[in-house]
Short mmCIF file of all heavy atoms in Angstrom, two decimals:
data_model
loop_
_atom_site.label_atom_id
_atom_site.label_comp_id
_atom_site.label_asym_id
_atom_site.label_seq_id
_atom_site.Cartn_x
_atom_site.Cartn_y
_atom_site.Cartn_z
N ALA A 109 16.57 32.25 -6.45
CA ALA A 109 16.06 32.13 -5.07
C ALA A 109 15.73 30.67 -4.82
O ALA A 109 15.58 29.88 -5.75
CB ALA A 109 14.82 33.00 -4.88
N PHE A 110 15.57 30.31 -3.55
CA PHE A 110 15.42 28.89 -3.22
C PHE A 110 14.11 28.30 -3.77
O PHE A 110 13.98 27.08 -3.87
CB PHE A 110 15.54 28.69 -1.70
CG PHE A 110 14.23 28.53 -0.97
CD1 PHE A 110 13.73 27.28 -0.70
CD2 PHE A 110 13.52 29.64 -0.57
CE1 PHE A 110 12.53 27.13 -0.02
CE2 PHE A 110 12.32 29.50 0.12
CZ PHE A 110 11.83 28.24 0.38
N LYS A 111 13.16 29.14 -4.14
CA LYS A 111 11.91 28.63 -4.70
C LYS A 111 12.15 27.74 -5.92
O LYS A 111 11.36 26.85 -6.22
CB LYS A 111 10.99 29.78 -5.11
CG LYS A 111 10.67 30.78 -4.00
CD LYS A 111 9.85 30.17 -2.90
CE LYS A 111 9.25 31.20 -1.96
NZ LYS A 111 10.24 31.93 -1.13
N SER A 142 5.22 36.61 -2.46
CA SER A 142 5.85 37.71 -1.74
C SER A 142 7.09 38.13 -2.52
O SER A 142 7.92 38.90 -2.03
CB SER A 142 6.21 37.28 -0.32
OG SER A 142 7.01 36.13 -0.35
N ASP A 144 9.39 35.96 -4.67
CA ASP A 144 10.23 34.94 -5.30
C ASP A 144 9.45 33.79 -5.92
O ASP A 144 9.79 33.28 -6.98
CB ASP A 144 11.24 34.40 -4.29
CG ASP A 144 12.29 35.44 -3.95
OD1 ASP A 144 12.59 36.29 -4.81
OD2 ASP A 144 12.81 35.41 -2.82
N THR A 145 8.36 33.38 -5.26
CA THR A 145 7.56 32.27 -5.78
C THR A 145 7.03 32.58 -7.17
O THR A 145 7.06 31.74 -8.06
CB THR A 145 6.35 31.98 -4.86
OG1 THR A 145 6.86 31.52 -3.62
CG2 THR A 145 5.44 30.93 -5.43
N SER A 227 3.48 27.22 -1.52
CA SER A 227 4.20 26.20 -0.76
C SER A 227 3.26 25.33 0.07
O SER A 227 3.69 24.42 0.75
CB SER A 227 5.27 26.84 0.12
OG SER A 227 4.69 27.71 1.06
N ARG A 232 5.59 20.87 -3.62
CA ARG A 232 6.71 21.77 -3.33
C ARG A 232 7.43 21.34 -2.06
O ARG A 232 8.64 21.44 -1.97
CB ARG A 232 6.21 23.20 -3.16
CG ARG A 232 6.19 23.92 -4.49
CD ARG A 232 5.90 25.38 -4.33
NE ARG A 232 6.93 26.10 -3.59
CZ ARG A 232 6.83 27.37 -3.31
NH1 ARG A 232 5.78 28.07 -3.70
NH2 ARG A 232 7.78 27.98 -2.62
N GLN A 236 11.68 19.91 -1.27
CA GLN A 236 12.50 20.71 -0.36
C GLN A 236 13.16 19.86 0.73
O GLN A 236 14.12 20.29 1.35
CB GLN A 236 11.65 21.83 0.27
CG GLN A 236 11.26 22.88 -0.76
CD GLN A 236 10.39 24.00 -0.22
OE1 GLN A 236 10.08 24.91 -0.95
NE2 GLN A 236 9.97 23.93 1.03
N VAL A 263 16.80 28.38 9.42
CA VAL A 263 16.07 28.68 8.18
C VAL A 263 15.39 30.05 8.28
O VAL A 263 14.60 30.29 9.20
CB VAL A 263 15.00 27.60 7.92
CG1 VAL A 263 14.32 27.85 6.57
CG2 VAL A 263 15.59 26.20 7.96
N PRO A 264 15.68 30.95 7.32
CA PRO A 264 14.94 32.22 7.27
C PRO A 264 13.52 31.93 6.82
O PRO A 264 13.31 31.37 5.74
CB PRO A 264 15.71 33.04 6.22
CG PRO A 264 16.41 32.05 5.36
CD PRO A 264 16.63 30.82 6.20
N THR A 265 12.55 32.29 7.66
CA THR A 265 11.21 31.73 7.48
C THR A 265 10.14 32.77 7.21
O THR A 265 10.14 33.86 7.77
CB THR A 265 10.85 30.93 8.75
OG1 THR A 265 11.78 29.84 8.86
CG2 THR A 265 9.45 30.36 8.69
N GLY A 266 9.24 32.40 6.31
CA GLY A 266 8.09 33.24 6.00
C GLY A 266 6.82 32.40 6.11
O GLY A 266 6.10 32.42 7.11
N ASN A 267 6.57 31.62 5.08
CA ASN A 267 5.37 30.80 5.05
C ASN A 267 5.57 29.43 5.71
O ASN A 267 4.69 28.58 5.67
CB ASN A 267 4.94 30.60 3.59
CG ASN A 267 3.47 30.92 3.38
OD1 ASN A 267 2.71 31.13 4.33
ND2 ASN A 267 3.05 30.94 2.14
N PHE A 268 6.74 29.21 6.30
CA PHE A 268 7.06 28.02 7.08
C PHE A 268 7.21 26.75 6.24
O PHE A 268 7.19 25.64 6.73
CB PHE A 268 5.98 27.78 8.17
CG PHE A 268 6.51 27.10 9.41
CD1 PHE A 268 7.28 27.79 10.32
CD2 PHE A 268 6.24 25.77 9.67
CE1 PHE A 268 7.79 27.17 11.46
CE2 PHE A 268 6.73 25.13 10.81
CZ PHE A 268 7.51 25.84 11.70
N GLY A 269 7.39 26.91 4.91
CA GLY A 269 7.53 25.73 4.06
C GLY A 269 8.92 25.12 4.14
O GLY A 269 9.08 23.91 4.31
N ASN A 270 9.93 25.98 4.05
CA ASN A 270 11.30 25.51 4.02
C ASN A 270 11.68 24.82 5.34
O ASN A 270 12.23 23.73 5.35
CB ASN A 270 12.21 26.72 3.75
CG ASN A 270 13.58 26.34 3.24
OD1 ASN A 270 13.89 25.17 3.08
ND2 ASN A 270 14.41 27.34 2.99
N ILE A 271 11.34 25.45 6.45
CA ILE A 271 11.72 24.85 7.74
C ILE A 271 10.89 23.59 8.03
O ILE A 271 11.36 22.64 8.64
CB ILE A 271 11.64 25.87 8.91
CG1 ILE A 271 12.38 25.30 10.13
CG2 ILE A 271 10.20 26.26 9.22
CD1 ILE A 271 12.68 26.30 11.20
N SER A 319 10.50 38.54 1.18
CA SER A 319 9.94 37.20 1.04
C SER A 319 9.57 36.60 2.40
O SER A 319 9.01 35.52 2.48
CB SER A 319 10.91 36.28 0.31
OG SER A 319 11.15 36.81 -0.98
N MET A 320 9.93 37.31 3.47
CA MET A 320 9.56 36.86 4.81
C MET A 320 8.58 37.81 5.46
O MET A 320 8.29 37.68 6.65
CB MET A 320 10.82 36.75 5.68
CG MET A 320 11.81 35.75 5.13
SD MET A 320 13.49 36.01 5.75
CE MET A 320 13.25 35.63 7.48
N ILE A 322 5.44 38.25 6.18
CA ILE A 322 4.24 37.42 6.19
C ILE A 322 3.71 37.34 7.62
O ILE A 322 4.48 37.17 8.56
CB ILE A 322 4.61 36.00 5.68
CG1 ILE A 322 4.92 36.04 4.17
CG2 ILE A 322 3.50 34.99 5.96
CD1 ILE A 322 5.38 34.74 3.59
N ASN A 327 2.06 27.16 6.13
CA ASN A 327 2.50 25.79 6.42
C ASN A 327 2.58 25.46 7.90
O ASN A 327 2.75 24.30 8.26
CB ASN A 327 3.87 25.53 5.78
CG ASN A 327 3.72 25.13 4.33
OD1 ASN A 327 3.20 24.05 4.03
ND2 ASN A 327 4.12 26.01 3.44
N ASP A 395 22.60 37.44 1.15
CA ASP A 395 21.45 38.32 0.90
C ASP A 395 20.76 38.65 2.23
O ASP A 395 21.12 38.11 3.29
CB ASP A 395 20.46 37.66 -0.08
CG ASP A 395 19.34 36.98 0.63
OD1 ASP A 395 19.62 35.96 1.30
OD2 ASP A 395 18.20 37.45 0.56
N HIS A 397 17.74 37.94 3.42
CA HIS A 397 17.00 36.85 4.08
C HIS A 397 17.96 35.92 4.82
O HIS A 397 17.74 35.56 5.99
CB HIS A 397 16.20 36.06 3.04
CG HIS A 397 15.25 36.90 2.26
ND1 HIS A 397 15.68 37.73 1.26
CD2 HIS A 397 13.91 37.07 2.34
CE1 HIS A 397 14.64 38.38 0.74
NE2 HIS A 397 13.55 37.99 1.39
N THR A 423 18.85 31.45 1.14
CA THR A 423 17.66 31.33 0.30
C THR A 423 17.63 32.22 -0.93
O THR A 423 16.76 32.04 -1.77
CB THR A 423 16.39 31.56 1.14
OG1 THR A 423 16.53 32.77 1.84
CG2 THR A 423 16.15 30.41 2.08
N ALA A 424 18.52 33.20 -1.02
CA ALA A 424 18.51 34.01 -2.24
C ALA A 424 19.92 34.49 -2.55
O ALA A 424 20.75 34.66 -1.64
CB ALA A 424 17.59 35.22 -2.10
N PHE A 429 18.90 41.14 -4.24
CA PHE A 429 18.61 42.22 -3.30
C PHE A 429 19.82 43.16 -3.21
O PHE A 429 20.23 43.58 -2.13
CB PHE A 429 18.23 41.63 -1.93
CG PHE A 429 17.02 40.75 -2.04
CD1 PHE A 429 17.15 39.37 -2.18
CD2 PHE A 429 15.74 41.29 -2.06
CE1 PHE A 429 16.03 38.56 -2.34
CE2 PHE A 429 14.61 40.50 -2.23
CZ PHE A 429 14.76 39.13 -2.37
C1 PLP B 1 10.18 32.26 0.19
C2 PLP B 1 11.44 32.73 0.78
C3 PLP B 1 11.69 32.60 2.15
C4 PLP B 1 10.69 32.00 3.11
O1 PLP B 1 10.50 30.62 2.89
P1 PLP B 1 9.21 29.90 3.51
O2 PLP B 1 9.28 28.52 2.97
O3 PLP B 1 8.05 30.66 3.00
O4 PLP B 1 9.34 29.96 4.98
C5 PLP B 1 12.92 33.02 2.63
N1 PLP B 1 13.82 33.60 1.82
C6 PLP B 1 13.61 33.76 0.49
C7 PLP B 1 14.64 34.43 -0.33
C8 PLP B 1 12.42 33.32 -0.07
O5 PLP B 1 12.22 33.49 -1.39
#
Side-chain angles (χ1 to χ4, degrees):
F110 101 95
K111 304 294 194 292
S142 55
D144 290 331
T145 294
S227 62
R232 271 188 64 182
Q236 291 179 177
V263 185
T265 297
N267 231 350
F268 210 74
N270 199 0
I271 195 165
S319 299
M320 299 159 66
I322 290 176
N327 276 292
D395 97 292
H397 303 76
T423 52
F429 300 96

